[in-house]
Amino acid sequence: MHLAHLRLRDFRNYARLDVDFSPGFQLLLGDNAQGKTNILEAIYLVATLRSFRGVGSAQMVRHGQKGYFIGTMVVGQGEHETRMYWSATERRLVLDAQPVRKLTDYLGVLRTVVFCTEDLQLVKGSGRNRRRFLDLLLAQTQPAYLPLLQRYAKALRARNALLKQPLVDPVALESFSRELTQVGDQIIRCRRELVPQFLPLAQQAYRAISNQAEELQLSYLPSVKTDFTVELAKNRHRERTFRATLIGPHRDDLALQLNDRPAAQFGSEGQKRTLAIALKMAQAEYLAAFHGVPPVLLIDDIMGELDLKRRSGLMPLLQRAHHAKGQVFMTATEENWPQELGREVRKWTIGQGRIS
């Protein structure tokens, strides 16, 4: 799988961009604030319909313009053309000249894993970041998972809106509660099954880039301990006080521990950064093993921040992607790009919203 063509119109600092990419290493070189990361963001947006910077679509429109357009040609099992347009009044998503009706028909056309400074929030941030990490991994491997999340979110919104009413309709509340628990139980089961499968890959990746300094443990922490229906009923009084649904998959977390101590509280900054990279490495390995082809790797200026030991731990992942004829996009400045990648790198110069 690789991105063969990228077209941008009024996206971030790009007025117009049309560029063809081959498989292999694509090194985007340039000074800061020239548009290197914007290209990675556009690729990730095509793959996941979300920015890895955590911003909304309005912030991705070029200054002074009304909307942006992103078009791609993706080569995998066949060729697929995608087209995405966003403005405040119109949104269009097209796959192979047909409007996308269901996201399950679209997601998976391009699979990516991004490595960026925001990854630190996987360790330091709230449980929401870790839930999203699990959910993205499941959505990239189980087509039925995304519809479950959508059903759960819809039931949760409706139930919370009901709980905010001065008088709660008990029949409607029971109906939304039943949908919430039925779908929620399936989400919990998927997450619970994923973590033991994912853990060995994360441990292996952490050992590779930390020189086996600490032992990593991941534990799924569902907010529902036994029976969702029973626990939801027991929380009814507290729900009336807080006017919100207080338990369920939307409150789950993933515990990250180094030598049996919470990484967020006791890990050094170096250990937290190493752990965040290890989680992304394991994500890439998991997707490659599941689908038989590596995802497109997007590496945003992190190699220059790593010492030689950690960089050498990341190299086998890049080499495997190369041998499997995968694709890697890496941003760097002229001074800090990893020379150990060797000669098999296609260099692109980025400056003021232009690429050459």
Side-chain angles (χ1 to χ4, degrees), residues 51-118:
S51 166
F52 61 75
R53 288 162 155 167
V55 300
S57 290
Q59 292 173 263
M60 293 181 271
V61 178
R62 192 166 70 93
H63 181 68
Q65 303 304 307
K66 295 181 179 180
Y68 67 74
F69 172 86
I70 306 175
T72 70
M73 181 63 71
V74 179
V75 177
Q77 292 183 335
E79 293 187 354
H80 294 286
E81 181 189 23
T82 74
R83 286 183 286 159
M84 176 189 304
Y85 175 77
W86 187 94
S87 74
T89 58
E90 185 179 5
R91 291 131 202 231
R92 293 196 304 270
L93 183 62
V94 176
L95 174 63
D96 297 332
Q98 296 297 320
V100 174
R101 305 296 183 193
K102 296 188 298 182
L103 290 183
T104 50
D105 296 336
Y106 175 85
L107 294 176
V109 169
L110 178 64
R111 288 183 295 274
T112 64
V113 174
V114 63
F115 295 76
C116 58
T117 55
E118 287 83 358

Side-chain angles (χ1 to χ4, degrees), residues 113-232:
V113 174
V114 63
F115 295 76
C116 58
T117 55
E118 287 83 358
D119 292 341
L120 263 177
Q121 293 306 308
L122 282 173
V123 182
K124 299 169 66 173
S126 68
R128 183 185 183 190
N129 297 284
R130 292 178 287 278
R131 285 193 298 274
R132 281 185 171 178
F133 178 77
L134 292 177
D135 288 340
L136 178 59
L137 199 51
L138 285 163
Q140 288 176 315
T141 53
Q142 299 186 23
Y145 188 75
L146 182 61
L148 285 177
L149 278 183
Q150 292 172 323
R151 282 178 59 191
Y152 185 85
K154 183 178 180 181
L156 181 64
R157 284 194 301 270
R159 194 175 188 277
N160 283 342
L162 199 61
L163 289 169
K164 288 177 171 58
Q165 299 297 319
L167 292 175
V168 178
D169 182 345
V171 176
L173 186 65
E174 176 60 29
S175 174
F176 290 128
S177 298
R178 188 163 51 248
E179 171 75 355
L180 198 76
T181 56
Q182 287 176 352
V183 179
D185 282 336
Q186 296 178 68
I187 292 173
I188 292 168
R189 185 175 66 252
C190 290
R191 291 174 178 174
R192 195 188 302 277
E193 291 172 352
L194 170 66
V195 172
Q197 298 170 13
F198 182 76
L199 175 59
L201 295 173
Q203 289 175 326
Q204 181 182 359
Y206 189 85
R207 284 194 292 265
I209 55 177
S210 69
N211 203 21
Q212 304 189 24
E214 306 88 21
E215 183 64 25
L216 169 65
Q217 280 295 329
L218 308 180
S219 305
Y220 174 48
L221 302 178
S223 69
V224 174
K225 306 306 179 187
T226 53
D227 187 297
F228 196 177
T229 302
V230 171
E231 292 180 43
L232 197 64

